[in-house]
Amino acid sequence: MNDICRNTHEHWMRLALEQAKLAREIDEVPIGAVLVDSASNELIAAAYNRPVSENDPTAHAELVVLRQASQSRNNYRLPGTTLYVTIEPCTMCVGALMHARISAVVFGAREPRAGAIVSQQELTKANYFNHRLSFEEGILADECGSIMQEFFQSKRTKNE
């Protein structure tokens, strides 16, 4: 990856990390996501996890950002976009990304228990989808992983 591409990825991932911090502030699992127009490199939407606060099991950061972007674009299809998300998406989120026709996903840290791109499943390689989604992983992985580890460590400490 060239320096310009890495700098761009890091810029957007830092914004996704800011969203993750907003989730943490309201005691949600700290995952953040931003959706960017791939051609113009402009922000379309930004969101964070909120299933607990919204009483909505589908309110993962990725799905919230897709809802916002679909509303702003007045279209449920979002081709030509790149999703930046702090943690590897789950099965539900990858399915939604495929249906929305997202072009690419860039994620920070792997999700070893439920990741559906490389960790537990490789849904981007599934031949039953009629859309292909490229991905890149490891952008600011340490920061993305640390915010999750710190969150769950603080939960364990409170419960001791």
Side-chain angles (χ1 to χ4, degrees), residues 54-137:
E54 292 192 2
N55 297 310
D56 179 356
T58 69
H60 290 195
E62 300 94 325
L63 297 188
V64 176
V65 88
L66 290 180
R67 289 179 188 129
Q68 290 175 0
S70 294
Q71 291 300 307
S72 78
R73 291 224 165 151
N74 201 29
N75 192 340
Y76 74 105
R77 297 274 168 90
L78 300 164
T81 59
T82 300
L83 177 78
Y84 290 85
V85 61
T86 55
I87 301 296
E88 178 183 3
C90 71
T91 302
M92 173 180 69
C93 292
V94 172
L97 298 172
M98 292 292 199
H99 288 290
R101 304 298 193 261
I102 301 300
S103 298
V105 173
V106 178
F107 67 89
R110 287 187 178 190
E111 210 300 51
R113 293 184 60 203
I117 294 180
V118 294
S119 294
Q120 289 298 324
Q121 299 179 68
E122 294 181 339
L123 290 181
T124 60
K125 295 179 180 178
N127 62 6
Y128 46 80
F129 286 112
N130 60 358
H131 174 68
R132 291 291 167 249
L133 171 65
S134 66
F135 73 89
E136 187 162 336
E137 66 172 301

Side-chain angles (χ1 to χ4, degrees), residues 7 13 24 27 36 39 41 45 62 69 73 91 95 97 100 110 113 119 142 153 157-159:
N7 289 340
M13 191 61 72
R24 180 182 61 195
D27 207 29
V36 176
N41 201 35
E62 300 94 325
R73 291 224 165 151
T91 302
L97 298 172
R110 287 187 178 190
R113 293 184 60 203
S119 294
D142 290 342
Q153 181 60 45
T157 303
K158 285 180 187 176
N159 291 332

